[in-house]
Amino acid sequence: MGKLIKEKGEKGRLHIETPLLGESLVDKRLLRETEADEYFRMQPEVNVLKIGGQSIMDRGASALFPILEELVKAKEEHKILLMCGGGTRARHVYSIGIDLGMPTGVLSKLGDKVSAQNAEMLSVLLAKHGGAMIGHGDHLEQLHMYCQQGYLPITTGIPPYGFFEHPAEVGSIPPHRTDSGACLLAENIGAKSLIYLKDEKGMYESDPKKAKDREALRFFDRIHVDELIEMDLEDLIVERPVLTFLKNAKTLKQFQIIDVLRHPEHLHAALNGEHVGTIVYKD
């Protein structure tokens, strides 16, 4: 525990003596010393589920309702935080913004509105089953209470970078969108699991929707995040920053990608720890 120390001289100021006092916070040696043997997990029983905007929400009732039925059943056995993607409408606003010359930070501000709209719609559809939209960053320490009382908390997937979004390596589309937001939140609350609800079996070597021969594509049943980063595939089913986030994660050890469009029942299997779809892991 830090102790008070006083500068020399009559008007010397008081300081709290800590290992970081007067140190550079970019010093590599110092940063290595800040690693903990174990990190506190605020919500170790909460499963973070991210539902795709374009892959699920934009397909309407025929795609969404069977998945919501399974979610309502699942919340009786599992603590869930549901996060929403943006989808086609986000792509549309990005396209307009790019045409107008908007910088990446502005595009980020524009795109987050669509994810919030999807969260609002889901909270309305699930209201009679305990669906409750929570604000960005609000009440996260109370997630356990929400789940214990039978609620299904729902929030937008976009991380709140806004004007502070990182410049994109290539192009101008914000690199941290809803997949990234779900991963960051799952890591920082110490979630039990992170599951991406998509419209494909999992991760392929390229986009199966664009492939002439889907069956010829290599499918990754289970793959280490370092291997995936090294492969530097042309396209991915999740945002690229998610791989770096997992590689550097302190509490999150893996994420799972499942097809709930064709197999809504896979939701229960994934929540029960079964291997369906693709698992990307770090250890």
Side-chain angles (χ1 to χ4, degrees):
M1 185 173 179
K3 64 179 181 180
L4 284 175
I5 58 174
K6 187 176 183 300
E7 290 181 351
K8 293 181 180 180
E10 186 180 338
K11 296 184 179 180
R13 293 174 297 178
L14 285 173
H15 296 280
I16 298 176
E17 185 182 42
T18 73
L20 302 182
L21 180 65
E23 295 286 351
S24 165
L25 297 185
V26 296
D27 182 278
K28 289 184 179 180
R29 175 197 58 79
L30 178 72
L31 293 177
R32 283 192 293 270
E33 292 175 356
T34 64
E35 286 284 359
D37 294 330
E38 186 175 351
Y39 287 85
F40 176 76
R41 298 175 64 190
M42 180 171 64
Q43 300 288 353
E45 296 182 358
V46 170
N47 300 275
V48 175
L49 307 185
K50 188 265 177 172
I51 188 166
Q54 189 172 57
S55 56
I56 304 296
M57 293 288 296
D58 291 349
R59 296 176 187 266
S62 60
L64 186 59
F65 284 177
I67 299 168
L68 296 188
E69 286 180 18
E70 301 304 322
L71 275 169
V72 170
K73 296 175 189 175
K75 84 175 182 67
E76 300 303 318
E77 298 181 23
H78 305 276
K79 295 179 175 64
I80 294 171
L81 171 64
L82 186 60
M83 302 184 72
C84 300
T88 303
R89 282 166 291 133
R91 287 160 172 77
H92 184 55
V93 77
Y94 290 149
S95 179
I96 294 171
I98 290 167
D99 188 53
L100 294 173
M102 298 291 104
T104 298
V106 174
L107 295 178
S108 179
K109 289 286 287 182
L110 295 171
D112 69 3
K113 309 298 189 297
V114 183
S115 175
Q117 289 172 350
N118 284 340
E120 187 77 48
M121 283 193 283
L122 284 179
S123 68
V124 170
L125 289 170
L126 292 168
K128 64 183 180 181
H129 302 290
M133 184 169 177
I134 62 174
H136 222 162
D138 295 345
H139 314 305
L140 291 179
E141 72 283 358
Q142 299 173 24
L143 280 177
H144 182 83
M145 180 191 71
Y146 275 87
C147 296
Q148 285 288 94
Q149 293 183 349
Y151 290 99
L152 176 56
I154 304 165
T155 191
T156 171
I158 285 279
Y161 285 109
F163 290 129
F164 297 90
E165 170 64 287
H166 302 206
E169 270 188 50
V170 180
S172 54
I173 292 174
H176 303 108
R177 300 184 302 281
T178 53
D179 289 344
S180 295
C183 185
L184 287 169
L185 189 58
E187 160 66 11
N188 285 303
I189 68 172
K192 181 178 181 180
S193 69
L194 169 61
I195 305 169
Y196 291 101
L197 312 183
K198 300 281 189 176
D199 63 346
E200 293 290 353
K201 179 181 176 182
M203 186 171 293
Y204 291 84
E205 62 182 328
S206 63
D207 188 347
K209 293 183 179 67
K210 300 174 184 176
K212 293 181 180 179
D213 185 3
R214 171 189 287 256
E215 298 303 318
L217 290 179
R218 180 183 175 190
F219 174 74
F220 302 106
D221 180 67
R222 179 179 172 87
I223 185 168
H224 195 283
V225 67
D226 287 344
E227 182 182 350
L228 200 50
I229 291 172
E230 187 176 348
M231 291 173 70
D232 193 25
L233 297 173
E234 185 66 22
D235 202 354
L236 292 170
I237 196 170
V238 294
E239 296 157 19
R240 293 186 191 279
V242 169
L243 304 184
T244 305
F245 293 153
L246 178 61
K247 178 181 174 67
N248 297 330
K250 311 300 183 184
T251 65
L252 194 65
K253 303 302 180 185
Q254 65 177 41
F255 63 79
Q256 194 163 355
I257 304 162
I258 65 173
D259 177 4
V260 291
L261 181 66
R262 297 171 185 83
H263 300 283
E265 72 279 3
H266 281 184
L267 177 65
H268 302 283
L271 286 169
N272 287 324
E274 297 176 31
H275 186 166
V276 288
T278 295
I279 291 177
V280 181
Y281 67 98
K282 68 171 293 182
D283 293 328

